[in-house]
Amino acid sequence: MSHDFQSDIDAVHAVAAVPTILDIVCRLTGMGFAAVARVTEDRWIACKVLDNVDFGLPDGGELKVETTLCHEIRQHREVIAIDNVADDPIYAQHHTPKLYGLQSYISVPILLPDGRFFGTVCAISAAPASVKSPEIIGTFRVFAELIAHHLDANEKLAAAQSNLFDQQASSDLREQFIAVLGHDLRNPLASLQGGTNILLREPQSERSTKTIHLMRAAVTRMSGLIDNVMDFARGRLGGGLGLNRVADQPLAQTLEQVIAEIRSGHPEVEISAEIPAGIVANVDHGRIAQMFSNLLGNAVTHGADHEPVRVKLSTTDTCLLLAVANSGPPIPPAAIPRLFQPFQRGEFGSSEGLGLGLYISSQIAEAHGGHLEVTSDAEETCFTFHMPLS
């Protein structure tokens, strides 16, 4: 029976954190090539590749499985890490390093929560590299676990969608799916966050410090993806979005904190903000921050270079208004009605993540009794949150 490897490639591509993980792997080890590979008894397929050294293997590329060390990992399910092939008593004469001209190598198995072997996270270099340390191997293990749980969660999401017409089945899947997201995915994230905190308290080189901050940014992004998927699950599978409203807390602090976070990740982008200090409203500040972060992140991503992103908070006699605007190519009118639908990605939606950001934002607006409005022309694209004050 043939295996559908394209579905495996698509599944890895659907994990938005994978490119960041591969980038961190190369920065952390100094290696030029990293990949997430699907490995079976008779096939080795590169699902996602970062190739900074022209190794020549693209996404979807294939190696003869028997020529790879991943073939051995599939059998014993243990890490293989080699600092320098010439000095390694096990692999100095091994056929794989000789065939591919490798001097250093690390590969960690990706094991799905039910025990199935999916493949590996691996990196190679034609020069020696220090990869056998507990810190490097531990980081690879966390990345492999994160990828495995993302793959499992996405598989469960697909299964949930296919069974939504069965009320009892969807109820069971809802509980299982939210449990997977809330527990199984957050645990490895917490481990990675804790590890980066420990490393930052110790003396580090400038390069290591930058790498650790990249890892922390990846954790923050992955945590946001989990939040979006959990909110989607609650909204579509039952439960709805809960609100914890506070009536007398100014909105300025909440919005300015989000702006500071976005600026730290995109220092090259100017964000112009008009946020009066005294405006208060009966809102859930955490949810408003989540919505605003999605809108501002989209504006930063899709805005024109060298043009500021503009934020304005205001009120009328009856309404609170929060507008986020950017310059750049307009959104075609035909695309606008689809913007707030789930899983809208690509040319006119978010090009990263799961395509849930604007959908979740619209749900947050509706939970507050308001709505999101978008206008787009050659001058600017503007998303505005409208909420009645009474």
Side-chain angles (χ1 to χ4, degrees):
M1 179 172 150
S2 63
H3 184 90
D4 181 10
F5 287 96
Q6 186 59 50
S7 66
D8 294 327
I9 296 170
D10 293 342
V12 172
H13 278 244
V15 180
V18 165
T20 301
I21 287 173
L22 297 182
D23 181 57
I24 292 173
V25 161
C26 288
R27 291 174 183 268
L28 191 62
T29 62
M31 293 170 150
F33 178 92
V36 174
R38 177 71 168 105
V39 185
T40 67
E41 184 177 359
D42 56 0
R43 303 286 293 276
W44 188 104
I45 307 292
C47 294
K48 185 64 181 176
V49 167
L50 177 60
D51 186 359
N52 295 324
V53 292
D54 296 323
F55 183 73
L57 190 69
D59 291 359
E62 182 171 0
L63 301 176
K64 290 185 177 180
V65 68
E66 62 271 14
T67 69
T68 70
L69 290 174
C70 295
H71 183 51
E72 300 179 13
I73 293 174
R74 189 191 66 80
Q75 298 173 56
H76 57 59
R77 301 193 174 197
E78 296 294 334
V79 175
I80 294 179
I82 307 170
D83 286 345
N84 187 347
V85 167
D87 298 333
D88 195 286
I90 299 175
Y91 295 101
Q93 300 302 319
H94 196 281
H95 64 274
T96 294
K98 289 181 180 180
L99 178 63
Y100 295 111
L102 311 181
Q103 289 300 314
S104 54
Y105 175 90
I106 182 170
S107 185
V108 175
I110 298 172
L111 302 176
L112 300 177
D114 61 5
R116 286 177 293 154
F117 180 90
F118 179 85
T120 62
V121 182
C122 55
I124 62 174
S125 177
S130 297
V131 296
K132 293 183 74 172
S133 69
E135 293 81 6
I136 297 293
I137 292 174
T139 299
F140 268 70
R141 286 187 187 277
V142 169
F143 285 156
E145 189 175 355
L146 282 170
I147 293 169
H149 282 293
H150 271 292
L151 292 171
D152 185 65
N154 288 346
E155 183 178 329
K156 285 182 168 63
L157 177 59
Q161 290 175 318
S162 68
N163 287 285
L164 283 179
F165 293 108
D166 184 334
Q167 184 174 0
Q168 184 59 49
S170 66
S171 177
D172 293 342
L173 286 168
R174 175 194 65 206
E175 301 302 327
Q176 295 170 13
F177 181 66
I178 293 176
V180 166
L181 292 172
H183 181 269
D184 291 344
L185 284 181
R186 291 191 187 280
N187 279 354
L189 276 182
S191 297
L192 185 55
Q193 181 71 57
T196 57
N197 290 339
I198 291 171
L199 290 173
L200 284 174
R201 290 197 292 268
E202 299 174 353
Q204 301 287 338
S205 67
E206 181 180 353
R207 179 185 173 208
S208 295
T209 300
K210 289 181 179 178
T211 299
I212 294 168
H213 281 294
L214 277 172
M215 293 169 66
R216 296 187 72 180
V219 170
T220 299
R221 172 158 175 74
M222 285 185 278
S223 180
L225 289 171
I226 293 170
D227 288 340
N228 277 347
V229 176
M230 288 189 71
D231 285 338
F232 172 77
R234 291 191 185 101
R236 283 298 182 95
L237 303 180
L241 297 182
L243 296 183
N244 182 22
R245 292 178 181 256
V246 177
D248 56 356
Q249 179 179 331
L251 282 164
Q253 181 178 357
T254 298
L255 301 181
E256 287 168 357
Q257 181 176 344
V258 172
I259 291 172
E261 292 171 357
I262 298 292
R263 279 176 174 155
S264 68
H266 301 272
E268 76 285 358
V269 177
E270 179 185 352
I271 301 175
S272 171
E274 296 180 36
I275 304 176
I279 293 180
V280 297
N282 186 22
V283 299
D284 182 323
H285 284 259
R287 290 294 189 184
I288 293 297
Q290 182 183 2
M291 177 188 70
F292 180 48
S293 180
N294 281 328
L295 297 179
L296 188 57
N298 270 359
V300 167
T301 299
H302 298 289
D305 294 340
H306 312 301
E307 292 290 338
V309 172
R310 299 168 293 280
V311 175
K312 183 175 181 179
L313 176 69
S314 61
T315 59
T316 67
D317 291 339
T318 59
C319 191
L320 175 76
L321 302 172
L322 175 60
V324 179
N326 62 271
S327 303
I331 302 172
I336 288 178
R338 302 194 305 271
L339 288 178
F340 300 113
Q341 296 175 7
F343 306 111
Q344 293 300 306
R345 302 174 60 190
E347 187 177 2
F348 306 115
S350 174
S351 58
E352 300 179 350
L354 300 172
L356 291 174
L358 289 177
Y359 170 76
I360 298 300
S361 296
S362 69
Q363 296 300 296
I364 292 171
E366 291 179 12
H368 283 84
H371 67 278
L372 281 178
E373 177 183 86
V374 58
T375 59
S376 186
D377 56 30
E379 296 297 322
E380 72 169 18
T381 294
C382 183
F383 286 82
T384 305
F385 168 53
H386 299 255
M387 189 194 84
L389 288 174
S390 57

